[in-house]
Every structure is written in C-alpha cells, then in structure tokens.
Amino acid sequence: LARADLSDANLTRANFMDANLAGADLSDANLTRANFTDANLAGADLSEATLSVASLYRANLAGADLSEAYLVFAKLTKTNLTQADLTGASLVEADLWRANLTQADLSGANLTATNLLWADLTQADLTGADLGSASLPKADLSGADFTGADLSWTDFHWLEGTGAKADDGTVWPEG
C-alpha cells in the first residue's frame, strides 16, 4: 500500500495494523476508528483526513502531512511525528503520551485537553496553538515555540531554562 491513492475514501474502522503506507495519499479520507497500530505512514498525506478515535499507537508518521486533520480522541501513544505537519489540526482530547513531535509544525492546532505527558516537543512550532487544559508534565519543551499560544489551564513545568519561546500574546495559566 506504499504510495497508494486512498484520497477521499471511506475507510471507517479499517485495520491497517503493521501496514506500509509510506507516501500514501489519504487526504480527505474518513478514517474514523481505523487501526494504524505499528503502521508506517512516513511522508503520507493525511491532510484534512478524519481520524477521530483512530489508533495510531507506535505508528511512524515522520514527515507526514496532517494539516487540518481531525484527530479528536485519537490515540497517538508512542507515535513518531518527527517533522510532521499538523498545522490547524484538531487534536482535542487526543492521547500523545510519549509521542515524538520533534520539529513538528503544530501552528494553529487545537490541542485542548490533550495528553502530552512525556512527549518530545523539541523545537516544535506551537505558534498560535490552543493548548487550554492540555497536560504537559515531563514533556521535553526544549526550543519549542509557544508564540501567541493559549496555555490557559495547562498543566506543565515552567518553560524557563528550556530555550522555549513565548511572547506577550502567549496566554499563561492563572497562578
């Protein structure tokens, strides 16, 4: 299935466990409740795809395009999202425990109430992202950019000493 064109397909509840979908086109596809456990989706196009309640446990999405994707309640535990494009993606209440988001672009993404415990956000771009009520304890925020991000009600360790960036437009938790 590498480089397959599955754009606009209805693949609700499809099982892609251990599948090689590297470079595949899944843009605009309905992948609600699909299983991508241990799948290789490196460089795949999942832009504007619906992946609500999908399981992407330990999947490889390095360099994948997930811009404007709908990942509400998705399970992305231990997922490799290195250099992935998640601009404008909706990750509300998604589970990104121990996910690798090194150099990922999450600008304008909605990460409300998302679990980012132990996630690696090294040099991630979170400009203008909504992280309200997100959980970031133990996350690696080294060099991450929170310029203009909403961190209200967010649970995380202080950015000081991490090299993370913020500005006057960054909304901080109260207290």
Side-chain angles (χ1 to χ4, degrees), residues 126-145:
L126 292 133
T127 55
D130 184 351
L131 289 109
S133 299
S135 180
L136 288 111
K138 311 283 187 184
D140 186 346
L141 307 174
S142 303
D145 189 350

Side-chain angles (χ1 to χ4, degrees), residues 71-93:
L71 293 136
V72 173
F73 295 111
K75 182 173 184 154
L76 296 131
T77 303
K78 296 184 180 180
T79 299
N80 180 6
L81 291 154
T82 303
Q83 296 181 338
D85 180 357
L86 290 138
T87 54
S90 182
L91 293 135
V92 175
E93 295 194 47

